[in-house]
Amino acid sequence: MAESNSADLMDKIVSLCKRRGFIFQSSEIYGGINGFWDYGPLGVELRKNIRDCWWNDMVRRRDDVVGLESSIIMHPKVWEASGHVGGFTDPMVDCKVSKQRFRADQIFFSPVIVDGKTVGYVTVLESERIAEELLEKAETFKRKKAIQGKLEPVQPKDFTEAKAEEIPLIPSPATGEPGSLTPPRAFNMMFETYVGALRDESAVAYLRPETAQGMFVDFKAILDTGRVKIPFGIAQVGKSFRNEITPRNFIFRSREFEQMEMEYFIADDDDWAKWHRYWIDWCREWLISVGISAELLSEYDHAKEKLAFYSKGTTDIMFKYPFGVQELWGIAARGDYDLTQHSKASGQPMEYFDDVKKKRFVPHVIEPAVGVDRILLAILCSAYVEDQAPDEKGKMETRTVLKLHPRIAPIKVAVFPLLKNKPELVKKAQEVRDLLRPYMTVFYDEASAIGRRYRRQDEVGTPFGVTIDFDTLGEKGPELADTVTLRERDTMKQERVKISDLLGILLPRVR
Ligand code: ATP
């Protein structure tokens, strides 16, 4: 990641994404719609590559995982049985003065205590520096009110922990004044819709808030195909929808996003902790294999007392985003909760028969669940670099490079004729383009000076550039005829290679 690891870096990434056609605000010509994003020409390629890599590694290259694509709208009873209708909520707080809404667990407050006495409260929104910011505010509060005495350390708590008598005293993050925040109340994040012509209670359905329930609901159907034996997994990639109270941090928290989830079913007496560890390690290795820096990754084990009653353990793989260390991939050991719930609610048995042990049981499950968009953002943050490179005249200038792993780079190779007004160069370059195109994404560019064309490709992460020049045409002697310059993005090193060798050199490096 670039040195300017901060809000500055985030601004640069957002601006690059817009300028170069990775990501746009949805419905921008109408002022945009909060929490929804569009992926432009390069964004769709990058997304598709992430998805394809995951699918290949998770499903196609394994004997023990099969794929599924279930519908986005499912029977409403699915979401009752799964607990989402009753409990898929975030705590919401309204500011009655500004009319802004907040997630209660993203508001942090502390009493201001001077000489052992509480003299007021201060508030900040979730950030990397909650305690420091609260202390700064407490110092300002004491100074402004001209209170004498010793300021005691702040005691940060989130708003869900506020006592009823404290709520009227805690300042709103919107106005800075106390008295306008409501007590937190549960807000269900599922999007509702109606199925069919009637718009009454009986027609209510939900856009799925996760893909996972498809795997539980279709568990029996997949078992009956006879292709699978425990332990085995069912994987799915698809859109999920959550009416997030405060979508933010670009594509990190959106209302429409894409998930890649896998449910790994194991025997009820198997060592769940071993499998949990196995999948945490697998996910971490996979993130590194698509170019995410290992040093930006960490693990967070959820505290036992905060887990749902059925959960045996949840570990999140965290990524150091410019706006803080945040969850990227959650790996949960969910016991037999989901299958048991659906079995009870539907009346259908969700059991597995082990014909060696002659035993029937409800399998337990390990669930690695990740968002494509969060991976994409982590990849961009890992890959964004500003370095120094010589311009056309040899003067050093700042170069922006996306050091994307060739596996996931939207364009694998750019092909440039040195000059666009020399038909022989153009013809040769188009031949090279057509030679490579069946095997990889190729971008052909003949506009502007060659240095500028290299920079444009560096900025969108194209790992290789091929230039067709007069040597290619044999003007400097027959030994260089039909050779091209192959430039590598990160080192900017150039080597002379034969056109007939190009495919053999590039293919193993981009796959
Ligand atoms: P968070 O605590 O950040 O809201 P979560 O714990 O609710 O996330 P899960 O329900 O475990 O998330 O979802 C699995 C994965 O789906 C997350 O690890 C994340 O990568 C992705 N994800 C969840 N919510 C969103 C969202 N609103 N926007 C983008 N990706 C999301």
Side-chain angles (χ1 to χ4, degrees):
M1 198 175 339
E3 284 306 301
S4 53
N5 182 358
S6 59
D8 188 30
L9 172 62
M10 201 56 214
D11 287 347
K12 287 178 178 174
I13 289 173
V14 174
S15 138
L16 180 122
C17 283
K18 182 166 184 200
R19 189 166 44 149
R20 300 308 312 273
F22 282 93
I23 302 167
F24 312 120
Q25 168 80 62
S26 163
S27 321
E28 199 168 14
I29 61 166
Y30 291 102
I33 170 165
N34 201 5
F36 299 89
W37 299 94
D38 293 347
Y39 286 80
L42 291 177
V44 277
E45 292 294 336
L46 182 55
R47 243 172 113 81
K48 181 173 174 346
N49 293 342
I50 294 170
R51 245 191 256 128
D52 289 352
C53 278
W54 187 87
W55 192 259
N56 283 334
D57 294 341
M58 179 60 95
V59 183
R60 293 196 174 151
R61 297 195 175 124
R62 296 185 68 104
D63 289 326
D64 58 347
V65 179
V66 294
L68 173 73
E69 206 166 298
S70 63
S71 60
I72 287 176
I73 294 179
M74 300 165 82
H75 196 294
K77 286 210 171 125
V78 169
W79 305 108
E80 282 168 28
S82 68
H84 284 82
V85 170
F88 192 59
T89 57
D90 268 346
M92 183 173 69
V93 173
D94 283 317
C95 167
K96 286 180 281 189
V97 172
S98 69
K99 308 282 179 239
Q100 282 194 45
R101 285 209 151 146
F102 301 94
R103 241 174 80 173
D105 56 352
Q106 291 173 351
I107 299 179
F108 287 81
F109 71 97
S110 169
V112 181
I113 306 173
V114 178
D115 289 340
K117 209 173 137 230
T118 298
V119 294
Y121 284 82
V122 283
T123 316
V124 294
L125 285 175
E126 186 181 36
S127 78
E128 275 290 89
R129 304 175 53 248
I130 292 167
E132 290 103 306
E133 285 179 22
L134 281 171
L135 183 60
E136 285 160 20
K137 287 213 167 167
E139 282 164 351
T140 312
F141 180 92
K142 177 173 172 274
R143 201 175 51 248
K144 278 201 178 151
K145 303 251 165 178
I147 301 169
Q148 300 300 317
K150 185 173 167 291
L151 179 67
E152 295 186 11
V154 288
Q155 302 166 1
K157 280 188 191 158
D158 78 49
F159 200 76
T160 58
E161 301 167 284
K163 297 193 192 99
E165 63 274 19
E166 285 180 312
I167 289 177
L169 307 173
I170 297 173
S172 156
T175 63
E177 295 299 326
S180 64
L181 292 179
T182 62
R185 59 188 191 283
F187 171 76
N188 195 304
M189 291 194 289
M190 281 201 294
F191 279 100
E192 275 184 25
T193 185
Y194 297 91
V195 173
L198 285 177
R199 291 210 147 226
D200 62 10
E201 272 302 297
S202 69
V204 169
Y206 306 96
L207 301 193
R208 68 178 174 202
E210 60 172 40
T211 60
Q213 294 307 318
M215 279 80 106
F216 298 124
V217 170
D218 287 348
F219 172 77
K220 256 318 233 188
I222 288 178
L223 210 54
D224 291 345
T225 62
R227 279 189 60 188
V228 288
K229 275 214 161 13
I230 283 229
F232 74 92
I234 309 178
Q236 164 155 231
V237 178
K239 286 275 176 111
S240 292
F241 303 82
R242 296 183 187 179
N243 198 1
E244 297 277 356
I245 299 169
T246 46
R248 58 188 186 148
N249 291 329
F250 196 31
I251 54 171
F252 178 82
R253 186 178 300 288
S254 323
R255 290 180 165 139
E256 173 179 337
F257 55 99
E258 190 162 42
Q259 288 188 308
M260 305 195 289
E261 298 195 286
M262 196 274 295
E263 304 302 325
Y264 199 73
F265 298 98
I266 59 174
D268 57 345
D269 56 0
D270 202 346
D271 180 355
W272 70 266
K274 179 194 83 180
W275 283 114
H276 191 222
R277 188 69 244 170
Y278 170 87
W279 283 110
I280 299 166
D281 293 340
W282 189 95
C283 297
R284 197 187 134 80
E285 289 304 314
W286 188 85
L287 290 170
I288 295 167
S289 83
V290 292
I292 292 183
S293 315
E295 60 269 30
L296 299 177
L297 296 173
S298 54
E299 279 175 28
Y300 170 77
D301 295 322
H302 287 234
K304 285 265 173 299
E305 59 279 11
K306 290 213 169 172
L307 291 175
F309 70 91
Y310 52 80
S311 176
K312 292 175 179 263
T314 296
T315 300
D316 292 339
I317 298 181
M318 313 292 284
F319 179 79
K320 191 167 186 284
Y321 290 97
F323 43 84
V325 174
Q326 298 279 345
E327 172 181 340
L328 172 57
W329 203 326
I331 299 100
R334 300 178 58 87
D336 61 2
Y337 177 75
D338 306 273
L339 287 181
T340 305
Q341 284 295 103
H342 287 301
S343 175
K344 279 190 209 154
S346 67
Q348 305 284 331
M350 293 282 179
E351 287 172 328
Y352 178 85
F353 181 69
D354 184 329
D355 44 16
V356 178
K357 291 188 185 157
K358 303 283 176 240
K359 187 182 143 188
R360 207 172 274 286
F361 60 87
V362 179
H364 287 220
V365 77
I366 310 288
E367 175 190 88
V370 70
V372 178
D373 314 79
R374 279 196 195 176
I375 293 180
L376 194 143
L377 185 56
I379 284 175
L380 290 175
C381 294
S382 279
Y384 186 96
V385 171
E386 287 172 5
D387 64 9
Q388 294 292 311
D391 69 7
E392 298 284 279
K393 298 191 183 91
K395 203 171 127 254
M396 294 309 263
E397 61 174 8
T398 301
R399 171 179 88 131
T400 301
V401 201
L402 279 187
K403 293 195 171 176
L404 296 175
H405 193 291
R407 274 182 97 188
I408 51 126
I411 303 168
K412 308 297 185 200
V413 59
V415 175
F416 313 113
L418 187 62
L419 300 170
K420 72 169 172 191
N421 52 5
K422 288 277 176 259
E424 314 88 285
L425 287 178
V426 168
K427 183 166 170 281
K428 203 58 167 181
Q430 288 175 348
E431 277 170 30
V432 172
R433 175 196 66 192
D434 296 343
L435 169 82
L436 299 175
R437 191 162 265 174
Y439 304 93
M440 60 192 80
T441 43
V442 182
F443 185 74
Y444 175 81
D445 186 8
E446 54 182 33
S448 76
I450 190 74
R452 293 258 295 282
R453 283 183 267 168
Y454 284 152
R455 289 290 177 281
R456 278 208 294 266
Q457 292 307 310
D458 291 342
E459 207 186 35
V460 299
T462 306
F464 301 103
V466 171
T467 307
I468 287 79
D469 56 19
F470 292 104
D471 296 355
T472 318
L473 304 178
E475 291 194 3
K476 271 211 194 128
E479 64 288 356
L480 287 181
D482 284 325
T483 64
V484 291
T485 315
L486 178 64
R487 174 186 183 268
E488 203 270 333
R489 175 197 65 202
D490 299 350
T491 58
M492 293 181 275
K493 280 211 185 105
Q494 307 195 0
E495 53 175 326
R496 201 82 209 169
V497 303
K498 286 194 191 136
I499 292 177
S500 54
D501 290 342
L502 253 187
L503 202 55
I505 296 172
L506 288 176
L507 261 188
R509 291 164 81 176
V510 301
R511 279 202 174 149

